[in-house]
Amino acid sequence: MSIPRGPSTPIIPSSKGVPQIPRTPSSTLPHPTAAQSPASASSSTFPSALNPNAQLTNSAPDYPPQMTAPTTSSSSIRKPGSIYERNINRRTPEVSLNAFAFLFSELVQYLLRQRKEAGANAGSLPDLETRLNTLGYHVGQRALELVTIREATAGASAKGAAGGRRENKILGILEFVHTHVWKMVFGRAADGLEKSRDEENEYMIIDNEPVVSKYVSVPRENSQLSVAAYAAGIIEAVLNGAKFPAKVSAHTVEDEDHPLRTVFLIKFDQAVIERDQKIAA
Amino acid sequence: MSYYLAIVGTEDNPIYTQEFGTYRQGGDGNSRFSPEMKELAPFILHAAIDMVEQTASRTNQLYLRTVDNFYSHLVSAFVTAGDIKIMLLHETRNEESIRQFFQEVHDLYVKTLLSPFYFVNQPITSPVFDQRIKSLAKKYL
């Protein structure tokens, strides 16, 4: 895979300055146990799994009463209802960046471990990227439908117009990914959208500081690896789902201000380009 | 009056089918298709998929209205952003209530898709989904 360094025309100019990633301050999130029982917040006998002195043998009778309270009084916990009973338009509160970074690092480590167990040599990094891409693909398939349906409702309440839209032009779908999908998945729009000047079917979405690679430092011997392949998988799923077959790859192309700047290179099938020209004509 | 609903996946594979009747004009919600029509309904919808794709390529709306007809029966369709086709075989023209019906079915489909245990193009077997579709039919058709 070649790193795109050729000249390109910006479709949406890259935003200047360091982007702010919105994050939910952890102080606003209620502590799970504090929400169930106010008494537990002041408890000093909270059993900690990290406490090396804790004795596992007699831990059961030592549990403070508030730990067992949720299981005995079911009224304090709201059982999550069927997925069909939830409101599809209600946006869930943003996940804290810490939690996401932790989960994602486990994900990468899990894949690394899997690779080691399979006996693959340390050089086959593209394989790891493919696996990350596949995991992102499942997110993208769902994001496409969900974003469309939410945009439709938001548009309907604003303008009185009904129904969503299917994007049928290349620029339309790219802007949809750049703005709407990025906003829902990462909390902000991407930083740039460019068209390659060399290749007719190549486009680039640029993110100056992708959330996925923010806390991932790649060791020197694996410097070709980009964990943003996960985000590339999301893009690929949205494009394929909307009938724009494409291959998407992630490349870290740092510049002075943004060491993590990542370019998502989108290569459309030739048929897509031909169809787009037919629509434009 | 009777209706036949099919949700068709991206590979033109049916992922959900349901047959029901109207609750209007004293109907009890049971389908009144003749035995021949019951056998024919899936074929009519399958034959209409080409028309759905043709109509869908010309517009960027999700709701495509009536795309095909077969003697006295009409086929209306709705295509989601992810190319899932929701199709309905019906006997009377009633665009507005069918549009509302499709939109709610679309909501239900996306909710199904958001379940981490469901994958694109898998048949939908949830009894809750079934029940929801029937109550939507009662509400709109």
Side-chain angles (χ1 to χ4, degrees):
Chain A
M1 267 182 276
S2 66
I3 295 169
R5 287 198 189 277
S8 57
T9 335
I11 294 162
I12 294 176
S14 303
S15 60
K16 295 283 180 288
V18 181
Q20 289 293 313
I21 296 170
R23 47 191 293 190
T24 316
S26 52
S27 58
T28 60
L29 295 169
H31 192 273
T33 49
Q36 284 149 11
S37 156
S40 68
S42 58
S43 166
S44 58
T45 56
F46 192 76
S48 165
L50 297 171
N51 184 358
N53 301 322
Q55 290 180 327
L56 287 171
T57 45
N58 60 353
S59 62
D62 276 358
Y63 269 125
Q66 58 270 24
M67 279 305 286
T68 52
T71 51
T72 48
S73 67
S74 57
S75 61
S76 61
I77 288 187
R78 208 171 53 85
K79 229 175 103 188
S82 148
I83 200 161
Y84 294 115
E85 276 152 36
R86 310 212 198 145
N87 186 346
I88 200 159
N89 287 305
R90 199 172 57 219
R91 280 150 214 259
T92 42
E94 278 176 12
V95 179
S96 90
L97 186 55
N98 308 339
F100 174 76
F102 183 62
L103 182 65
F104 190 73
S105 92
E106 281 300 318
L107 190 75
V108 176
Q109 283 175 44
Y110 168 74
L111 291 178
L112 279 171
R113 206 160 45 234
Q114 233 183 16
R115 201 167 60 110
K116 206 178 271 175
E117 276 164 16
N121 58 336
S124 66
L125 285 168
D127 176 55
L128 183 69
E129 287 191 358
T130 314
R131 280 161 188 262
L132 277 169
N133 189 299
T134 313
L135 288 167
Y137 203 91
H138 291 285
V139 177
Q141 285 183 316
R142 289 159 176 81
L144 168 65
E145 293 276 9
L146 190 61
V147 173
T148 308
I149 216 167
R150 284 188 178 166
E151 289 299 319
T153 333
S157 57
K159 287 175 284 182
R165 274 153 37 87
R166 262 172 310 113
E167 298 294 346
N168 50 10
K169 292 205 183 76
I170 287 182
L171 274 189
I173 192 74
L174 285 174
E175 261 185 57
F176 177 81
V177 174
H178 169 275
T179 315
H180 299 300
V181 173
W182 228 253
K183 233 175 217 158
M184 193 193 80
V185 182
F186 300 121
R188 66 190 167 87
D191 295 297
L193 173 59
E194 297 183 0
K195 183 183 190 325
S196 162
R197 261 184 228 162
D198 302 336
E199 297 288 335
E200 190 181 37
N201 61 341
E202 285 186 5
Y203 289 81
M204 290 162 236
I205 288 179
I206 295 154
D207 195 324
N208 286 339
E209 199 178 33
V211 179
V212 280
S213 41
K214 196 168 179 194
Y215 296 112
V216 177
S217 26
V218 183
R220 195 175 298 269
E221 66 266 25
N222 296 346
S223 61
Q224 281 302 303
L225 173 72
S226 176
V227 287
Y230 184 75
I234 297 179
I235 302 176
E236 199 170 312
V238 171
L239 295 177
N240 286 358
K243 283 192 165 178
F244 289 89
K247 285 263 163 275
V248 184
S249 51
H251 309 275
T252 310
V253 185
E254 54 189 270
D255 67 4
E256 286 153 24
D257 301 329
H258 308 102
L260 291 175
R261 185 168 173 273
T262 301
V263 173
F264 297 98
L265 182 66
I266 300 164
K267 263 190 195 158
F268 285 108
D269 274 12
Q270 202 55 41
V272 175
I273 304 291
E274 282 163 18
R275 189 183 65 195
D276 208 54
Q277 281 162 349
K278 220 180 263 176
I279 290 174
Chain B
M1 272 192 301
S2 309
Y3 298 91
Y4 184 78
L5 170 79
I7 304 181
V8 180
T10 56
E11 313 275 314
D12 293 348
N13 51 324
I15 55 179
Y16 181 82
T17 57
Q18 182 65 266
E19 202 180 310
F20 44 78
T22 187
Y23 280 92
R24 305 282 149 83
Q25 295 133 16
D28 56 358
N30 290 326
S31 149
R32 293 273 182 277
F33 279 137
S34 61
E36 295 81 28
M37 197 58 209
K38 266 185 204 287
E39 288 170 4
L40 215 50
F43 285 99
I44 298 172
L45 285 194
H46 194 262
I49 291 178
D50 278 345
M51 297 303 295
V52 173
E53 278 175 3
Q54 215 174 77
T55 320
S57 65
R58 278 197 230 111
T59 170
N60 59 9
Q61 295 296 308
L62 301 183
Y63 180 38
L64 305 176
R65 302 168 199 279
T66 305
V67 291
D68 199 7
N69 62 336
F70 182 83
Y71 296 101
S72 61
H73 290 79
L74 303 160
V75 179
S76 286
F78 184 101
V79 180
T80 75
D83 198 31
I84 304 295
K85 301 165 251 323
I86 308 173
M87 302 167 74
L88 183 75
L89 182 72
H90 54 109
E91 286 156 304
T92 47
R93 207 171 272 274
N94 194 350
E95 282 188 354
E96 187 51 29
S97 52
I98 290 178
R99 189 183 63 77
Q100 286 172 323
F101 174 72
F102 275 155
Q103 257 170 10
E104 300 247 0
V105 175
H106 183 205
D107 276 15
L108 276 183
Y109 168 73
V110 176
K111 284 180 188 176
T112 311
L113 180 65
L114 289 179
S115 157
F117 301 107
Y118 177 81
F119 298 101
V120 175
N121 283 344
Q122 236 176 25
I124 301 173
T125 52
S126 160
V128 184
F129 186 85
D130 236 33
Q131 194 194 321
R132 290 280 169 131
I133 291 281
K134 281 182 181 150
S135 63
L136 283 181
K138 190 173 181 178
K139 194 170 162 194
Y140 293 111
L141 301 175

Short mmCIF file of all heavy atoms in Angstrom, two decimals, chain A residues 52-108:
data_model
loop_
_atom_site.label_atom_id
_atom_site.label_comp_id
_atom_site.label_asym_id
_atom_site.label_seq_id
_atom_site.Cartn_x
_atom_site.Cartn_y
_atom_site.Cartn_z
N PRO A 52 -4.30 -5.68 47.30
CA PRO A 52 -3.65 -6.99 47.40
C PRO A 52 -3.87 -7.65 48.76
O PRO A 52 -3.69 -8.86 48.90
CB PRO A 52 -2.16 -6.66 47.18
CG PRO A 52 -2.03 -5.22 47.51
CD PRO A 52 -3.35 -4.58 47.23
N ASN A 53 -4.26 -6.87 49.77
CA ASN A 53 -4.46 -7.45 51.09
C ASN A 53 -5.85 -8.04 51.28
O ASN A 53 -6.13 -8.66 52.29
CB ASN A 53 -4.24 -6.38 52.18
CG ASN A 53 -2.84 -5.81 52.09
OD1 ASN A 53 -1.89 -6.54 51.80
ND2 ASN A 53 -2.71 -4.51 52.31
N ALA A 54 -6.71 -7.81 50.32
CA ALA A 54 -8.07 -8.33 50.47
C ALA A 54 -8.04 -9.85 50.49
O ALA A 54 -7.35 -10.48 49.68
CB ALA A 54 -8.94 -7.84 49.31
N GLN A 55 -8.76 -10.43 51.41
CA GLN A 55 -8.77 -11.90 51.50
C GLN A 55 -9.97 -12.41 50.72
O GLN A 55 -11.11 -12.04 50.99
CB GLN A 55 -8.85 -12.32 52.96
CG GLN A 55 -7.55 -12.01 53.69
CD GLN A 55 -7.60 -12.41 55.12
OE1 GLN A 55 -8.64 -12.35 55.75
NE2 GLN A 55 -6.47 -12.84 55.66
N LEU A 56 -9.67 -13.26 49.79
CA LEU A 56 -10.74 -13.72 48.92
C LEU A 56 -11.62 -14.74 49.62
O LEU A 56 -12.79 -14.89 49.32
CB LEU A 56 -10.14 -14.36 47.66
CG LEU A 56 -9.54 -13.35 46.66
CD1 LEU A 56 -8.78 -14.08 45.58
CD2 LEU A 56 -10.64 -12.49 46.06
N THR A 57 -11.03 -15.47 50.61
CA THR A 57 -11.78 -16.58 51.20
C THR A 57 -12.99 -16.11 51.99
O THR A 57 -14.07 -16.69 51.89
CB THR A 57 -10.87 -17.40 52.13
OG1 THR A 57 -10.12 -16.48 52.93
CG2 THR A 57 -9.92 -18.27 51.34
N ASN A 58 -12.83 -15.05 52.75
CA ASN A 58 -13.99 -14.61 53.55
C ASN A 58 -14.56 -13.31 53.01
O ASN A 58 -15.12 -12.51 53.73
CB ASN A 58 -13.60 -14.46 55.03
CG ASN A 58 -12.49 -13.44 55.20
OD1 ASN A 58 -11.94 -12.97 54.20
ND2 ASN A 58 -12.18 -13.10 56.43
N SER A 59 -14.41 -13.09 51.71
CA SER A 59 -14.88 -11.82 51.18
C SER A 59 -16.40 -11.74 51.14
O SER A 59 -16.96 -10.67 51.25
CB SER A 59 -14.31 -11.60 49.78
OG SER A 59 -14.79 -12.63 48.94
N ALA A 60 -17.05 -12.88 50.97
CA ALA A 60 -18.50 -12.83 50.81
C ALA A 60 -19.23 -12.23 52.03
O ALA A 60 -20.03 -11.32 51.85
CB ALA A 60 -19.04 -14.21 50.49
N PRO A 61 -18.96 -12.69 53.25
CA PRO A 61 -19.67 -12.09 54.37
C PRO A 61 -19.22 -10.66 54.65
O PRO A 61 -19.94 -9.89 55.28
CB PRO A 61 -19.34 -13.00 55.55
CG PRO A 61 -18.24 -13.88 55.12
CD PRO A 61 -18.15 -13.83 53.65
N ASP A 62 -18.04 -10.26 54.13
CA ASP A 62 -17.54 -8.92 54.38
C ASP A 62 -18.14 -7.86 53.46
O ASP A 62 -17.89 -6.69 53.64
CB ASP A 62 -16.01 -8.89 54.21
CG ASP A 62 -15.34 -9.35 55.48
OD1 ASP A 62 -16.08 -9.62 56.43
OD2 ASP A 62 -14.10 -9.45 55.49
N TYR A 63 -18.89 -8.29 52.46
CA TYR A 63 -19.45 -7.31 51.54
C TYR A 63 -20.33 -6.33 52.29
O TYR A 63 -21.18 -6.74 53.08
CB TYR A 63 -20.31 -8.01 50.46
CG TYR A 63 -19.53 -8.36 49.24
CD1 TYR A 63 -19.50 -9.66 48.77
CD2 TYR A 63 -18.82 -7.39 48.55
CE1 TYR A 63 -18.78 -10.00 47.65
CE2 TYR A 63 -18.10 -7.72 47.42
CZ TYR A 63 -18.07 -9.01 46.98
OH TYR A 63 -17.36 -9.33 45.86
N PRO A 64 -20.13 -5.07 52.09
CA PRO A 64 -21.03 -4.11 52.72
C PRO A 64 -22.45 -4.30 52.18
O PRO A 64 -22.61 -4.75 51.04
CB PRO A 64 -20.46 -2.75 52.30
CG PRO A 64 -19.34 -2.99 51.40
CD PRO A 64 -19.12 -4.45 51.27
N PRO A 65 -23.45 -3.99 52.97
CA PRO A 65 -24.82 -4.27 52.54
C PRO A 65 -25.19 -3.60 51.22
O PRO A 65 -25.95 -4.15 50.46
CB PRO A 65 -25.68 -3.73 53.69
CG PRO A 65 -24.76 -2.95 54.58
CD PRO A 65 -23.38 -3.44 54.33
N GLN A 66 -24.58 -2.44 50.94
CA GLN A 66 -24.99 -1.75 49.72
C GLN A 66 -24.53 -2.49 48.46
O GLN A 66 -25.05 -2.25 47.38
CB GLN A 66 -24.48 -0.30 49.70
CG GLN A 66 -22.98 -0.15 49.81
CD GLN A 66 -22.55 -0.02 51.26
OE1 GLN A 66 -23.26 -0.48 52.16
NE2 GLN A 66 -21.42 0.61 51.50
N MET A 67 -23.55 -3.39 48.59
CA MET A 67 -23.13 -4.12 47.42
C MET A 67 -24.16 -5.17 47.01
O MET A 67 -24.30 -5.49 45.85
CB MET A 67 -21.79 -4.84 47.69
CG MET A 67 -20.58 -3.93 47.55
SD MET A 67 -20.52 -3.12 45.96
CE MET A 67 -20.03 -4.49 44.93
N THR A 68 -24.85 -5.72 48.00
CA THR A 68 -25.82 -6.75 47.68
C THR A 68 -27.20 -6.15 47.46
O THR A 68 -28.09 -6.81 46.95
CB THR A 68 -25.91 -7.80 48.81
OG1 THR A 68 -26.10 -7.08 50.03
CG2 THR A 68 -24.65 -8.62 48.90
N ALA A 69 -27.35 -4.88 47.82
CA ALA A 69 -28.66 -4.26 47.72
C ALA A 69 -29.26 -4.32 46.30
O ALA A 69 -30.43 -4.66 46.15
CB ALA A 69 -28.60 -2.81 48.20
N PRO A 70 -28.46 -4.03 45.26
CA PRO A 70 -29.09 -4.01 43.93
C PRO A 70 -29.69 -5.34 43.53
O PRO A 70 -30.68 -5.37 42.80
CB PRO A 70 -27.92 -3.65 43.01
CG PRO A 70 -26.95 -2.96 43.89
CD PRO A 70 -27.09 -3.61 45.23
N THR A 71 -29.11 -6.45 44.00
CA THR A 71 -29.66 -7.73 43.57
C THR A 71 -30.94 -8.07 44.32
O THR A 71 -31.81 -8.76 43.80
CB THR A 71 -28.63 -8.86 43.78
OG1 THR A 71 -28.17 -8.78 45.12
CG2 THR A 71 -27.47 -8.73 42.84
N THR A 72 -31.06 -7.58 45.56
CA THR A 72 -32.26 -7.93 46.32
C THR A 72 -33.43 -7.02 45.96
O THR A 72 -34.55 -7.48 45.81
CB THR A 72 -31.99 -7.86 47.83
OG1 THR A 72 -31.34 -6.62 48.10
CG2 THR A 72 -31.12 -9.01 48.30
N SER A 73 -33.18 -5.71 45.83
CA SER A 73 -34.28 -4.82 45.45
C SER A 73 -34.16 -4.47 43.99
O SER A 73 -33.34 -3.67 43.57
CB SER A 73 -34.25 -3.54 46.32
OG SER A 73 -33.11 -2.81 46.01
N SER A 74 -34.96 -5.14 43.18
CA SER A 74 -34.86 -4.97 41.73
C SER A 74 -35.37 -3.61 41.29
O SER A 74 -35.13 -3.20 40.16
CB SER A 74 -35.64 -6.09 41.04
OG SER A 74 -36.98 -6.07 41.47
N SER A 75 -36.09 -2.91 42.16
CA SER A 75 -36.68 -1.64 41.74
C SER A 75 -35.61 -0.57 41.52
O SER A 75 -35.82 0.38 40.77
CB SER A 75 -37.70 -1.16 42.77
OG SER A 75 -37.04 -0.97 44.01
N SER A 76 -34.44 -0.73 42.17
CA SER A 76 -33.43 0.30 42.03
C SER A 76 -32.69 0.19 40.70
O SER A 76 -32.08 1.13 40.23
CB SER A 76 -32.43 0.21 43.18
OG SER A 76 -31.80 -1.05 43.15
N ILE A 77 -32.74 -0.98 40.05
CA ILE A 77 -32.10 -1.14 38.75
C ILE A 77 -33.19 -1.24 37.70
O ILE A 77 -34.13 -2.01 37.83
CB ILE A 77 -31.24 -2.42 38.70
CG1 ILE A 77 -29.99 -2.24 39.54
CG2 ILE A 77 -30.87 -2.78 37.27
CD1 ILE A 77 -29.01 -3.37 39.41
N ARG A 78 -33.02 -0.41 36.64
CA ARG A 78 -34.00 -0.49 35.56
C ARG A 78 -33.50 -1.54 34.58
O ARG A 78 -32.40 -1.41 34.04
CB ARG A 78 -34.15 0.85 34.89
CG ARG A 78 -35.52 1.06 34.28
CD ARG A 78 -35.64 2.49 33.82
NE ARG A 78 -34.54 2.85 32.95
CZ ARG A 78 -34.52 2.63 31.64
NH1 ARG A 78 -35.54 2.04 31.07
NH2 ARG A 78 -33.49 2.99 30.92
N LYS A 79 -34.28 -2.57 34.41
CA LYS A 79 -33.87 -3.61 33.48
C LYS A 79 -33.92 -3.04 32.08
O LYS A 79 -34.91 -2.43 31.70
CB LYS A 79 -34.83 -4.80 33.59
CG LYS A 79 -34.13 -6.13 33.74
CD LYS A 79 -35.12 -7.22 33.96
CE LYS A 79 -35.31 -8.03 32.69
NZ LYS A 79 -36.41 -8.98 32.80
N PRO A 80 -32.84 -3.20 31.29
CA PRO A 80 -32.91 -2.67 29.95
C PRO A 80 -34.00 -3.38 29.15
O PRO A 80 -34.04 -4.61 29.13
CB PRO A 80 -31.52 -2.96 29.37
CG PRO A 80 -30.93 -3.99 30.25
CD PRO A 80 -31.58 -3.88 31.59
N GLY A 81 -34.88 -2.61 28.54
CA GLY A 81 -35.99 -3.21 27.82
C GLY A 81 -35.55 -3.79 26.50
O GLY A 81 -34.37 -3.76 26.16
N SER A 82 -36.50 -4.30 25.76
CA SER A 82 -36.22 -4.81 24.44
C SER A 82 -35.70 -3.68 23.56
O SER A 82 -36.04 -2.52 23.76
CB SER A 82 -37.50 -5.39 23.85
OG SER A 82 -37.50 -5.22 22.46
N ILE A 83 -34.87 -4.03 22.61
CA ILE A 83 -34.28 -3.01 21.73
C ILE A 83 -35.37 -2.29 20.95
O ILE A 83 -35.23 -1.14 20.57
CB ILE A 83 -33.24 -3.67 20.79
CG1 ILE A 83 -32.30 -2.61 20.23
CG2 ILE A 83 -33.91 -4.42 19.65
CD1 ILE A 83 -31.02 -3.15 19.70
N TYR A 84 -36.52 -2.95 20.79
CA TYR A 84 -37.61 -2.34 20.03
C TYR A 84 -38.34 -1.27 20.83
O TYR A 84 -39.12 -0.51 20.29
CB TYR A 84 -38.60 -3.41 19.59
CG TYR A 84 -38.01 -4.38 18.61
CD1 TYR A 84 -37.84 -5.72 18.94
CD2 TYR A 84 -37.59 -3.95 17.36
CE1 TYR A 84 -37.27 -6.60 18.04
CE2 TYR A 84 -37.01 -4.82 16.47
CZ TYR A 84 -36.86 -6.15 16.80
OH TYR A 84 -36.30 -7.02 15.91
N GLU A 85 -38.12 -1.25 22.16
CA GLU A 85 -38.84 -0.27 22.97
C GLU A 85 -38.08 1.03 23.14
O GLU A 85 -38.59 1.98 23.69
CB GLU A 85 -39.15 -0.87 24.34
CG GLU A 85 -40.41 -1.70 24.32
CD GLU A 85 -40.39 -2.80 25.35
OE1 GLU A 85 -39.84 -2.55 26.44
OE2 GLU A 85 -40.89 -3.90 25.05
N ARG A 86 -36.85 1.05 22.67
CA ARG A 86 -36.07 2.28 22.84
C ARG A 86 -36.36 3.25 21.70
O ARG A 86 -36.68 2.83 20.59
CB ARG A 86 -34.58 1.94 22.85
CG ARG A 86 -34.32 0.83 23.83
CD ARG A 86 -32.99 0.95 24.44
NE ARG A 86 -32.59 -0.32 25.03
CZ ARG A 86 -31.34 -0.75 25.04
NH1 ARG A 86 -30.40 -0.01 24.50
NH2 ARG A 86 -31.04 -1.89 25.59
N ASN A 87 -36.17 4.51 22.00
CA ASN A 87 -36.39 5.53 20.99
C ASN A 87 -35.16 5.62 20.09
O ASN A 87 -34.05 5.84 20.56
CB ASN A 87 -36.65 6.87 21.67
CG ASN A 87 -37.02 7.93 20.67
OD1 ASN A 87 -36.86 7.76 19.47
ND2 ASN A 87 -37.54 9.04 21.17
N ILE A 88 -35.39 5.45 18.80
CA ILE A 88 -34.26 5.40 17.88
C ILE A 88 -33.63 6.77 17.67
O ILE A 88 -32.48 6.91 17.29
CB ILE A 88 -34.70 4.79 16.53
CG1 ILE A 88 -33.49 4.28 15.77
CG2 ILE A 88 -35.49 5.77 15.68
CD1 ILE A 88 -33.81 3.29 14.74
N ASN A 89 -34.40 7.83 17.94
CA ASN A 89 -33.88 9.17 17.68
C ASN A 89 -33.18 9.79 18.87
O ASN A 89 -32.56 10.83 18.73
CB ASN A 89 -35.02 10.08 17.23
CG ASN A 89 -35.44 9.74 15.82
OD1 ASN A 89 -34.62 9.74 14.92
ND2 ASN A 89 -36.69 9.40 15.66
N ARG A 90 -33.33 9.16 20.02
CA ARG A 90 -32.67 9.76 21.18
C ARG A 90 -31.19 9.42 21.15
O ARG A 90 -30.80 8.26 21.11
CB ARG A 90 -33.31 9.25 22.48
CG ARG A 90 -32.95 10.20 23.63
CD ARG A 90 -33.69 9.88 24.89
NE ARG A 90 -33.43 8.51 25.28
CZ ARG A 90 -34.36 7.72 25.79
NH1 ARG A 90 -35.58 8.14 25.94
NH2 ARG A 90 -34.06 6.49 26.14
N ARG A 91 -30.39 10.47 21.15
CA ARG A 91 -28.94 10.23 21.11
C ARG A 91 -28.48 9.80 22.49
O ARG A 91 -28.82 10.42 23.48
CB ARG A 91 -28.23 11.51 20.68
CG ARG A 91 -28.30 11.68 19.18
CD ARG A 91 -28.30 13.12 18.77
NE ARG A 91 -29.12 13.28 17.59
CZ ARG A 91 -28.64 13.40 16.35
NH1 ARG A 91 -27.35 13.38 16.16
NH2 ARG A 91 -29.42 13.51 15.32
N THR A 92 -27.69 8.77 22.51
CA THR A 92 -27.16 8.32 23.79
C THR A 92 -26.06 9.28 24.23
O THR A 92 -25.40 9.87 23.40
CB THR A 92 -26.57 6.90 23.66
OG1 THR A 92 -25.85 6.86 22.44
CG2 THR A 92 -27.65 5.87 23.65
N PRO A 93 -25.87 9.45 25.54
CA PRO A 93 -24.81 10.35 25.97
C PRO A 93 -23.46 9.86 25.47
O PRO A 93 -23.27 8.67 25.26
CB PRO A 93 -24.88 10.29 27.49
CG PRO A 93 -25.87 9.27 27.85
CD PRO A 93 -26.60 8.84 26.64
N GLU A 94 -22.55 10.80 25.26
CA GLU A 94 -21.25 10.43 24.72
C GLU A 94 -20.49 9.53 25.70
O GLU A 94 -20.57 9.71 26.91
CB GLU A 94 -20.43 11.68 24.44
CG GLU A 94 -20.79 12.29 23.12
CD GLU A 94 -20.05 13.58 22.87
OE1 GLU A 94 -19.12 13.89 23.61
OE2 GLU A 94 -20.44 14.28 21.93
N VAL A 95 -19.77 8.60 25.14
CA VAL A 95 -18.96 7.70 25.95
C VAL A 95 -17.69 8.45 26.35
O VAL A 95 -17.16 9.23 25.58
CB VAL A 95 -18.60 6.45 25.12
CG1 VAL A 95 -17.74 5.50 25.92
CG2 VAL A 95 -19.84 5.77 24.64
N SER A 96 -17.23 8.22 27.55
CA SER A 96 -16.01 8.92 27.97
C SER A 96 -14.82 8.41 27.15
O SER A 96 -14.75 7.23 26.80
CB SER A 96 -15.76 8.72 29.45
OG SER A 96 -14.97 7.59 29.67
N LEU A 97 -13.93 9.32 26.85
CA LEU A 97 -12.77 8.99 26.02
C LEU A 97 -11.90 7.95 26.70
O LEU A 97 -11.35 7.06 26.05
CB LEU A 97 -11.98 10.27 25.74
CG LEU A 97 -10.81 10.18 24.78
CD1 LEU A 97 -11.25 9.59 23.46
CD2 LEU A 97 -10.20 11.54 24.58
N ASN A 98 -11.81 8.03 28.04
CA ASN A 98 -11.00 7.06 28.78
C ASN A 98 -11.49 5.65 28.55
O ASN A 98 -10.72 4.75 28.26
CB ASN A 98 -11.08 7.33 30.29
CG ASN A 98 -10.77 8.76 30.61
OD1 ASN A 98 -10.14 9.43 29.82
ND2 ASN A 98 -11.24 9.23 31.76
N ALA A 99 -12.81 5.49 28.69
CA ALA A 99 -13.40 4.16 28.55
C ALA A 99 -13.16 3.64 27.15
O ALA A 99 -12.78 2.48 26.95
CB ALA A 99 -14.89 4.21 28.85
N PHE A 100 -13.34 4.52 26.16
CA PHE A 100 -13.15 4.07 24.78
C PHE A 100 -11.70 3.68 24.53
O PHE A 100 -11.41 2.63 23.95
CB PHE A 100 -13.56 5.17 23.80
CG PHE A 100 -13.25 4.80 22.37
CD1 PHE A 100 -14.05 3.88 21.71
CD2 PHE A 100 -12.15 5.31 21.73
CE1 PHE A 100 -13.75 3.50 20.42
CE2 PHE A 100 -11.84 4.93 20.44
CZ PHE A 100 -12.65 4.02 19.79
N ALA A 101 -10.76 4.53 25.01
CA ALA A 101 -9.34 4.26 24.78
C ALA A 101 -8.94 2.92 25.42
O ALA A 101 -8.20 2.14 24.83
CB ALA A 101 -8.50 5.39 25.34
N PHE A 102 -9.50 2.66 26.59
CA PHE A 102 -9.18 1.41 27.29
C PHE A 102 -9.70 0.21 26.51
O PHE A 102 -8.98 -0.76 26.27
CB PHE A 102 -9.79 1.46 28.69
CG PHE A 102 -9.47 0.27 29.53
CD1 PHE A 102 -8.17 -0.02 29.87
CD2 PHE A 102 -10.48 -0.56 29.98
CE1 PHE A 102 -7.86 -1.12 30.64
CE2 PHE A 102 -10.18 -1.68 30.75
CZ PHE A 102 -8.87 -1.95 31.09
N LEU A 103 -10.95 0.31 26.10
CA LEU A 103 -11.56 -0.79 25.36
C LEU A 103 -10.83 -1.02 24.04
O LEU A 103 -10.54 -2.15 23.66
CB LEU A 103 -13.03 -0.47 25.09
CG LEU A 103 -13.83 -1.55 24.37
CD1 LEU A 103 -13.92 -2.80 25.24
CD2 LEU A 103 -15.22 -1.06 24.04
N PHE A 104 -10.48 0.07 23.38
CA PHE A 104 -9.82 -0.06 22.08
C PHE A 104 -8.43 -0.66 22.22
O PHE A 104 -8.01 -1.47 21.40
CB PHE A 104 -9.76 1.30 21.38
CG PHE A 104 -9.33 1.20 19.95
CD1 PHE A 104 -10.21 0.70 19.00
CD2 PHE A 104 -8.08 1.59 19.55
CE1 PHE A 104 -9.83 0.59 17.68
CE2 PHE A 104 -7.69 1.49 18.23
CZ PHE A 104 -8.58 0.99 17.30
N SER A 105 -7.73 -0.28 23.29
CA SER A 105 -6.38 -0.83 23.48
C SER A 105 -6.48 -2.34 23.76
O SER A 105 -5.65 -3.12 23.29
CB SER A 105 -5.65 -0.11 24.60
OG SER A 105 -5.84 -0.76 25.83
N GLU A 106 -7.53 -2.73 24.49
CA GLU A 106 -7.73 -4.17 24.72
C GLU A 106 -8.01 -4.89 23.41
O GLU A 106 -7.57 -6.01 23.18
CB GLU A 106 -8.90 -4.40 25.68
CG GLU A 106 -8.55 -4.19 27.14
CD GLU A 106 -7.45 -5.13 27.62
OE1 GLU A 106 -7.49 -6.32 27.26
OE2 GLU A 106 -6.56 -4.67 28.34
N LEU A 107 -8.76 -4.21 22.56
CA LEU A 107 -9.13 -4.78 21.26
C LEU A 107 -7.88 -5.06 20.43
O LEU A 107 -7.70 -6.14 19.87
CB LEU A 107 -10.03 -3.78 20.55
CG LEU A 107 -10.73 -4.22 19.28
CD1 LEU A 107 -11.87 -5.13 19.64
CD2 LEU A 107 -11.24 -3.01 18.53
N VAL A 108 -6.98 -4.06 20.39
CA VAL A 108 -5.76 -4.22 19.61
C VAL A 108 -4.90 -5.33 20.23
O VAL A 108 -4.36 -6.18 19.51
CB VAL A 108 -4.97 -2.89 19.57
CG1 VAL A 108 -3.65 -3.08 18.86
CG2 VAL A 108 -5.79 -1.83 18.87
#
